[in-house]
Amino acid sequence: YIVARKRAANPVFVFGTWKIEILGAYSSALILGIAGILMVFTSVERLLNPLMIHYNQALFVAAIGFVVDLVCAAILHRGPHLHSAAHGHDHDHSHGHDDLNFKSAYLHVIADAMTSVFAIVALLGAKYFSWNWLDPVMGMVGAAMVGRWAFLLLRDSSKILLDREKCTPLSVEIRNRIESDGDSRIHDLHLWRVSDSKYACIISLVTGREYTIDDYRKRLLGVHELAHTTIEINPCGSGLLCGHTGHDSHEHPHPHGHD
């Protein structure tokens, strides 16, 4: 967040610095996944080579860690509201996007809290029932949980970094507005994020009437999510058939410039 704010006015970032936050979430997910892998190796090692456990000291440390994690989770719970107010982002028109940078930090805290709980359960079982095997087993359970969270976070953040967008309500709304005259047809539509709730799009359309680019821009005025729009008009007979709707490509940004 600090880096994104400091470089927000830097013109080398064509669509702003918001992807610095997504890159942070991706990196955080990688670290979380590595932590899960290390937990597996450590747990297997403890199964093969059990160590003597100082139960009271270990329980004390685990309890302190759990309390600290709860405090951090309570602080982070207020994070999205404070972040939104500080950045001035418009979330009213967002199509279900989460702040992945915040989510990654929150998952780190929750994962640490859950592993503390698993550790406390394992230590109590070993102390009172001599279930020494429970500690490494709970470590593997925690590793599986952490690994799953890391995978989901990697999937969501990498999708944004690679500009991979599926058909969304926003793309449907754009199509309906552009084709509202009954004659115009979108041949190609590229849509990708340029901030947490803003998009850029390139529209290639076919029409048999003499509409101008400004006419189509007016149809999109109510779509508040659009920050950058490029429109290409192809008249009938230019190699494209009127009334024919081509494919939509949402996975890769257009290689040309943006208006």
Side-chain angles (χ1 to χ4, degrees):
Y1 290 139
I2 293 174
V3 174
R5 281 197 297 267
K6 284 184 176 180
R7 298 184 177 272
N10 193 328
V12 301
F13 295 96
V14 180
F15 289 121
T17 58
W18 89 288
K19 279 193 177 180
I20 291 177
E21 301 173 11
I22 304 302
L23 184 60
Y26 181 85
S27 303
S28 186
L30 283 178
I31 296 173
L32 198 62
I34 292 173
I37 293 174
L38 291 176
M39 288 170 66
V40 172
F41 279 102
T42 303
S43 298
V44 172
E45 183 183 4
R46 291 293 183 268
L47 277 175
L48 298 177
N49 301 299
L51 298 178
M52 182 179 66
I53 301 174
H54 299 282
Y55 298 109
N56 293 333
Q57 293 93 323
L59 282 167
F60 178 70
V61 172
I64 291 179
F66 180 64
V67 171
V68 171
D69 289 328
L70 288 181
V71 173
C72 291
I75 294 173
L76 285 174
H77 184 68
R78 300 174 63 239
H81 307 290
L82 294 177
H83 168 66
S84 176
H87 285 63
H89 291 158
D90 180 8
H91 295 277
D92 293 337
H93 303 284
S94 174
H95 287 279
H97 174 64
D98 293 325
D99 185 340
L100 290 179
N101 193 41
F102 165 79
K103 184 178 180 180
S104 66
Y106 195 72
L107 282 180
H108 263 99
V109 173
I110 296 300
D112 201 32
M114 292 302 297
T115 53
S116 295
V117 172
F118 293 152
I120 291 172
V121 171
L123 289 168
L124 290 175
K127 179 179 181 179
Y128 294 106
F129 302 101
S130 299
W131 295 345
N132 293 335
W133 51 267
L134 190 59
D135 183 45
V137 168
M138 295 303 280
M140 291 183 181
V141 172
M145 177 195 66
V146 169
R148 182 176 182 275
W149 287 349
F151 170 77
L152 295 176
L153 192 56
L154 279 172
R155 183 192 64 185
D156 294 341
S157 56
S158 62
K159 180 181 70 173
I160 295 175
L161 290 175
L162 295 173
D163 293 312
R164 183 174 180 270
E165 290 288 345
K166 63 181 180 179
C167 184
T168 64
L170 179 58
S171 63
V172 174
E173 182 179 1
I174 292 172
R175 176 177 293 279
N176 290 338
R177 285 173 177 263
I178 293 295
E179 299 180 348
S180 60
D181 56 54
D183 176 79
S184 302
R185 291 292 181 269
I186 291 181
H187 170 70
D188 204 6
L189 173 63
H190 295 260
L191 182 68
W192 70 100
R193 293 181 189 272
V194 294
S195 75
D196 61 348
S197 60
K198 297 295 183 181
Y199 291 76
C201 78
I202 295 178
I203 303 169
S204 177
L205 60 91
V206 184
T207 181
R209 302 180 184 178
E210 295 185 357
Y211 291 117
T212 66
I213 290 179
D214 287 336
D215 291 331
Y216 289 108
R217 288 188 184 281
K218 290 177 181 178
R219 299 181 189 183
L220 299 175
L221 287 178
V223 185
H224 303 287
E225 297 91 340
L226 291 180
H228 303 271
T229 306
T230 299
I231 300 175
E232 176 188 77
I233 301 176
N234 299 282
C236 292
S238 61
L240 299 173
L241 299 177
C242 293
H244 172 69
T245 303
H247 70 283
D248 285 351
S249 175
H250 304 281
E251 297 188 359
H252 304 286
H254 200 281
H256 304 300
H258 312 291
D259 182 5

